[in-house]
Amino acid sequence: MDFDFSDDQKFLKDEARKFLDGRCGPAVVRGVLDDPARSFDKDLWAAVAEQGWLGACIPEEFNGLGLGRVELCAIAEELGRAVAPIPFASTVYFLAEGVMLAGSQDQKATILPRIAAGELIGCLATSEGPGVVNASNLACRVEGGKLTGVKIPVTDGDVADMALVLASEAGKAGLYLVDLTAKGVSRETLKSLDPTRSVAKLTFDGVAAERIGEAGAGFDLVQAIMDRAAVLLAFEQLGGSDKCLEMAKDYALGRYAFGRVIAGYQAIKHKLADMYVKNEVARSNAYYGAWALNVDAPELPIAASAARIAASDAFWFSSKESIQVHGGMGFTWDVDCHLYYRRSRQLSLVAGAPRVWKERLVSQLEQKNAA
Amino acid sequence: MDFNDSPEEAAYRDKARAWLAENAAAHRAQFGDVKANTPEHMAAAKAWQARKAGAGYACITWPAAIGGGGGTPIQSVIFGQEETKAGLSYGYFTIGLGMCVPTVMAFSNTETKQRFVSPAVKGEEIWCQLFSEPAGGSDVAALRTRAIKDGDEWVINGQKVWTTGAHYCDFGILLTRTDPDVPKHKGLTMFWIDMRDAAVECRPIHQMSGGREFNEVYFTDLRVKDSQRLGEVGDGWKVALVTLMNERLAVGGSSGPNYREIMGLARELTGATGPAIKDNAFREKLADWYVQSEGLKFTRFRTMTALSRGQTPGPESSIGKIIAANQMQELANTAVEMEDQYGILVDPAQAPAEAAFQQSLMWAPGLRIAGGTDEILKNIIAERVLGLPGDVRVDKDVAFKDMPTGR
Ligand SMILES: Cc1cc2nc3c(=O)[nH]c(=O)nc-3n(C[C@H](O)[C@H](O)[C@H](O)COP(=O)(O)OP(=O)(O)OC[C@H]3O[C@@H](n4cnc5c(N)ncnc54)[C@H](O)[C@@H]3O)c2cc1C
């Protein structure tokens, strides 16, 4: 029984926090938030690449650090805490994980070292409109190796160099690697709930597309990538949620009303206690997910779903209630609460909404019980 | 991040499992299936406790010299898990061994310890906790039961309430007021008492769940020796805090139907638009319960990890009861509603799952109150985990006798 980060992992986590405290303070996040022309913070991206985080789990033969997934979870938690405005999840959890999961030796060799070096930004493009992505009804098509169609919204689609695109070929869903700098790709940056993470509409007009993984296995592959990303995103959510509790607590301890510090009012105390309870439930589920991801356990789909559901719930709750605790200040642009409120929505949606994961969890439990 | 047993833990688990397989079978052969809350059930419980004590599986973390198992907290958790799997657990000893006897051990002399610890471990004597009163539940320190010094003895008059097990207990730890002229926390003193004393009268209370597990207890000129005092005169609150701290660890878990059982039920029942298990509203709730249950389970694993690294778990464990009790109530209610008209039935012979959900529905309100209400536990998290200020205390500097009391 060892259900915590090891000392080495804690050290890594502490170092990551120190690094992000220095490089990714609120001013950096706001730099992206306040400037519609900026999709992410390039300096931070370069610094993160230099830390080796982009290639943390990429095997050494592809120039990565070859660390375990638990280490990446530790980093993810700190990135979430700092609401880092960089395309980390798109590149590392989606593209790199997808390539490591299903890529050919060739695909790995061309893509992974470039990710590790910070030379390649990735993204995952599945959605084509409002509602849940449906494998049997994809409008994006691949014919003769050429992709045609529209993906919207694609997180980091405006800045990515390469996309993993879910599309149908001969009536079956497949996943394709697409060079976004190629001819026939047009991109339009769109407004999103969380401007610190950009989104785009991608239009493909006969663009070269290279399949990754088996023919017809695209949807399963996306699901497998989502499972892995869900665990990592859960740590980002947890980091953000912890920070919301901390901000609310600090504010409540300094703000007076009716002659008393508001942290002494029970309605506020209980709100903070509720945040704490949800955060701990999320943490415990995230740890289980980290374990399952790290050893690629058969329980991963269940563990990932639970981690995602708990973390989405915790972050939503603490981000909205943190604003409430801050009162009118909390509703201003100047206080950081909304950065977390926005990010909580971004993280809850980017890998599919909690409702979808609840359904996934229950159908997995049903299968398990039937077996 | 690994929740497999270490080699030593695995070896201990194997040993415990083998012991349980053999002894649970022997125990069942001797006692068969007995109904809860009957004298036969108590006899079975005592026999099982004695059997465990003989093998070092009772009070695993206590030194062997006083009758414990001389083991580690993790071993205790492992044995508990295996014992639950083996389907054997009796609640009679939880309060005594979890809260009362540790308090006696912490605040009495060697002689008293020798007298009480071993019989309690073996299940020969059962203890109750006499804290709550009509005037003091959440606010335990508002209690009024008076103890007045008379030579080398104390004379006690007053009333306790909600005392679990008082009607079958042999001894109890009793918190009394010895000085009403000072603020409430300063005038308390703790004693151990003999529950069989003629001056102690127990009146079982009929619970809303139908059971009669807790009691009113009256003291009329009960005389106890000064040597029965636990801690200093006026220091009773400090002593009580030790008990209450242990209470959080002891009361945390809950048994009753969980997400697995309700899933089983949903498979069998018809819902409004098809099989109940296919109802989306139900599926969402089920997912939430699963996530909470697993979250609690893994939180316990984290506590075990902390223990194995030599740390002591603190007030964080308060989250356990809040989640478990509220989930029990919600889950049971959903199950009962899912049975539709049939959900009214509590008859075990007629109702699905032997009416376990109905019973759980009726027990859950008690679980949300016993051992600290939701509100008090949230205060504990807010104040002791998060470091927020305590509630406004209007009674802090007021002599107890001048405190407003309401009804
Ligand atoms: C099944 C069961 C078994 C029990 N066993 C024992 C036992 O063995 N020994 C024993 O001594 N006691 C026992 N108790 C008593 C139990 O500890 C008390 O019932 C409990 O602490 C609540 O006290 P009360 O009933 O006086 O409610 P009150 O304290 O009167 O509470 C009433 C309501 O007010 C709220 N409230 C009170 N104070 C505050 C505050 N500061 N802030 C916000 N809300 C507040 C409570 O949360 C609750 O909602 C048992 C209770 C139950 C239900």
Side-chain angles (χ1 to χ4, degrees):
Chain A
M1 168 63 56
D2 184 15
F3 214 60
D4 195 357
F5 289 118
S6 68
D7 286 343
D8 284 350
Q9 287 157 354
K10 280 186 182 155
F11 179 76
L12 171 73
K13 197 162 172 292
D14 284 348
E15 292 298 306
R17 179 170 303 188
K18 276 185 218 150
F19 171 82
L20 289 167
D21 279 348
R23 294 301 192 91
C24 185
V28 171
V29 182
R30 284 173 176 280
V32 176
L33 178 77
D34 289 331
D35 182 355
R38 288 179 65 194
S39 294
F40 70 108
D41 191 287
K42 294 205 166 91
D43 292 344
L44 178 63
W45 184 248
V48 159
E50 207 167 293
Q51 291 292 305
W53 293 357
L54 299 173
C57 293
I58 291 176
E60 282 162 295
E61 59 168 316
F62 302 119
N63 297 347
L65 297 180
L67 298 174
R69 294 296 186 286
V70 179
E71 279 77 2
L72 187 56
C73 289
I75 293 171
E77 190 177 333
E78 296 307 322
L79 287 168
R81 190 185 155 82
V83 282
I86 48 174
F88 193 86
S90 297
T91 305
V92 177
Y93 315 158
F94 289 149
L95 182 61
E97 287 293 333
V99 170
M100 286 193 279
L101 202 59
S104 63
Q105 192 63 18
D106 225 29
Q107 287 166 336
K108 288 181 187 166
T110 44
I111 297 169
L112 297 179
R114 292 181 61 206
I115 291 179
E119 293 164 9
L120 190 149
I121 293 173
C123 66
L124 175 67
T126 57
S127 175
E128 297 182 354
V132 178
V133 178
N134 187 338
S136 59
N137 195 19
L138 291 166
C140 277
R141 278 171 210 289
V142 173
E143 271 168 40
K146 303 280 182 203
L147 170 69
T148 305
V150 177
K151 287 288 175 186
I152 173 171
V154 181
T155 296
D156 299 312
D158 54 344
V159 294
D161 306 288
M162 180 169 280
L164 283 173
V165 182
L166 183 66
S168 76
E169 182 170 15
K172 286 188 186 149
L175 194 62
Y176 299 86
L177 281 165
V178 179
D179 178 356
L180 295 182
T181 59
K183 210 176 132 253
V185 178
S186 52
R187 336 187 190 202
E188 183 187 342
T189 305
L190 304 172
K191 280 191 169 179
S192 85
L193 272 174
D194 179 6
T196 65
R197 303 289 289 100
S198 70
V199 297
K201 173 181 175 185
L202 296 183
T203 307
F204 303 100
D205 186 10
V207 183
E210 179 183 322
R211 200 184 66 238
I212 179 168
E214 304 287 305
F219 205 69
D220 290 345
L221 183 51
V222 166
Q223 193 55 260
I225 295 170
M226 290 294 191
D227 280 344
R228 306 172 87 75
V231 174
L232 295 157
L233 291 168
F235 276 90
E236 288 202 10
Q237 291 169 306
L238 180 62
S241 197
D242 269 342
K243 178 74 183 180
C244 287
L245 171 55
E246 223 174 273
M247 290 190 306
K249 186 180 94 176
D250 289 348
Y251 187 80
L253 283 169
R255 172 76 178 165
Y256 281 70
F258 302 100
R260 284 210 274 151
V261 69
I262 61 166
Y265 289 108
Q266 210 176 59
I268 298 291
K269 283 161 73 173
H270 286 190
K271 213 184 263 309
L272 298 182
D274 287 339
M275 286 186 201
Y276 176 80
V277 170
K278 282 182 186 289
N279 284 357
E280 293 312 298
V281 168
R283 191 181 322 280
S284 294
N285 278 296
Y287 281 14
Y288 178 48
W291 166 80
L293 176 61
N294 201 40
V295 301
D296 211 358
E299 293 92 333
L300 179 61
I302 287 183
S305 307
R308 179 149 182 84
I309 294 163
S312 299
D313 179 45
F315 199 9
W316 167 237
F317 182 80
S318 62
S319 70
K320 76 187 168 80
E321 296 307 322
S322 175
I323 297 175
Q324 183 69 16
V325 170
H326 280 76
M329 286 298 287
F331 192 61
T332 64
W333 190 265
D334 296 339
V335 165
D336 290 339
C337 290
H338 67 119
L339 304 180
Y340 291 85
Y341 189 73
R342 294 171 191 288
R343 186 58 68 83
S344 95
R345 299 304 76 217
Q346 201 273 341
L347 291 174
S348 266
L349 299 173
V350 70
R355 274 195 76 165
V356 178
W357 285 91
K358 287 185 181 180
E359 177 50 41
R360 174 162 174 74
L361 172 60
V362 172
S363 49
Q364 292 281 331
L365 290 175
E366 278 185 293
Q367 275 173 32
K368 196 174 147 192
N369 276 34
Chain B
M1 210 69 81
D2 183 1
F3 51 8
N4 294 316
D5 289 335
S6 70
E8 300 82 56
E9 288 160 8
Y12 185 85
R13 192 183 293 279
D14 286 346
K15 221 178 79 194
R17 229 180 246 162
W19 185 87
L20 277 163
E22 190 183 327
N23 286 274
H27 178 75
R28 284 215 180 82
Q30 192 181 347
F31 290 94
D33 252 351
V34 287
K35 257 188 78 137
N37 301 317
T38 57
E40 297 75 44
H41 194 256
M42 173 66 83
K46 287 189 166 185
W48 179 242
Q49 185 70 17
R51 204 183 265 266
K52 285 200 296 181
Y57 287 128
C59 301
I60 288 168
T61 57
W62 298 5
I66 60 166
T72 65
I74 294 230
Q75 290 177 345
S76 173
V77 175
I78 290 175
F79 184 83
Q81 289 171 342
E82 295 302 323
E83 191 182 24
T84 310
K85 273 189 222 152
L88 271 170
S89 81
Y90 297 101
Y92 301 109
F93 311 104
T94 312
I95 292 176
L97 296 175
M99 291 135 72
C100 304
V101 179
T103 308
V104 171
M105 287 198 285
F107 292 96
S108 69
N109 56 29
T110 318
E111 200 183 314
T112 311
K113 276 185 244 177
Q114 265 168 2
R115 162 65 190 83
F116 288 121
V117 178
S118 165
V121 174
K122 289 187 214 144
E124 289 162 3
E125 292 169 351
I126 307 185
W127 286 69
C128 59
Q129 177 207 22
L130 301 144
F131 284 13
S132 301
E133 292 191 13
S138 301
D139 184 9
V140 187
L143 59 86
R144 299 177 195 171
T145 291
R146 278 287 267 144
I148 295 173
K149 191 90 190 278
D150 180 23
D152 196 31
E153 289 187 336
W154 294 82
V155 183
I156 299 175
N157 280 286
Q159 182 204 340
K160 295 286 166 179
V161 73
W162 321 131
T163 316
T164 301
H167 55 305
Y168 54 68
C169 279
D170 305 284
F171 297 96
I173 56 171
L174 174 70
L175 193 57
T176 64
R177 179 154 318 274
T178 43
D179 185 356
D181 295 325
V182 292
K184 65 178 182 181
H185 287 109
K186 296 186 177 146
L188 303 173
T189 305
M190 185 85 84
F191 298 94
W192 64 261
I193 65 162
D194 181 353
M195 293 298 288
R196 312 279 186 218
D197 193 299
V200 179
E201 188 205 345
C202 253
R203 295 187 200 156
I205 302 174
H206 202 170
Q207 294 158 198
M208 67 168 269
S209 55
R212 294 173 193 271
E213 283 121 36
F214 57 21
N215 304 264
E216 293 179 297
V217 184
Y218 292 85
F219 314 100
T220 314
D221 293 333
L222 168 66
R223 300 191 80 88
V224 302
K225 296 202 181 65
D226 189 52
S227 61
Q228 287 174 240
R229 184 162 41 78
L230 299 170
E232 299 304 314
V233 175
D235 243 3
W237 185 245
K238 204 173 94 190
V239 182
L241 282 181
V242 169
T243 320
L244 295 172
M245 242 140 69
N246 285 316
E247 179 163 23
R248 278 201 302 276
L249 293 177
V251 183
S254 69
S255 51
N258 57 23
Y259 74 87
R260 265 187 223 97
E261 271 99 35
I262 198 171
M263 210 170 139
L265 181 71
R267 281 161 187 271
E268 288 162 18
L269 299 182
T270 311
T273 56
I277 184 80
K278 294 297 167 204
D279 177 89
N280 281 333
F282 171 72
R283 291 169 84 81
E284 280 201 36
K285 286 187 187 174
L286 183 63
D288 286 334
W289 295 324
Y290 172 86
V291 166
Q292 284 172 351
S293 306
E294 295 294 286
L296 263 197
K297 181 172 106 191
F298 297 131
T299 301
R300 282 194 285 274
F301 285 5
R302 285 166 53 207
T303 307
M304 277 172 68
T305 302
L307 283 169
S308 73
R309 292 181 183 177
Q311 300 148 3
T312 18
E316 301 82 30
S317 47
S318 299
I319 70 169
K321 201 178 78 93
I322 299 180
I323 296 177
N326 283 280
Q327 168 165 334
M328 174 188 273
Q329 196 162 36
E330 281 306 305
L331 186 149
N333 186 47
T334 303
V336 167
E337 287 190 354
M338 196 153 62
E339 291 172 20
D340 209 67
Q341 299 185 28
Y342 218 82
I344 303 168
L345 287 183
V346 190
D347 190 333
Q350 301 290 339
E354 295 176 336
F357 293 104
Q358 280 77 1
Q359 283 163 19
S360 175
L361 181 73
M362 297 310 289
W363 171 240
L367 192 61
R368 288 185 57 195
I369 295 165
T373 62
D374 286 5
E375 291 74 21
I376 295 298
L377 293 180
K378 285 184 190 181
N379 271 359
I380 289 174
I381 292 172
E383 292 167 21
R384 306 218 199 119
V385 181
L386 301 177
L388 303 178
D391 287 0
V392 167
R393 297 271 299 278
V394 295
D395 56 0
K396 211 169 168 182
D397 303 315
V398 181
F400 175 76
K401 64 177 172 21
D402 300 327
M403 247 171 67
T405 52
R407 270 182 293 147

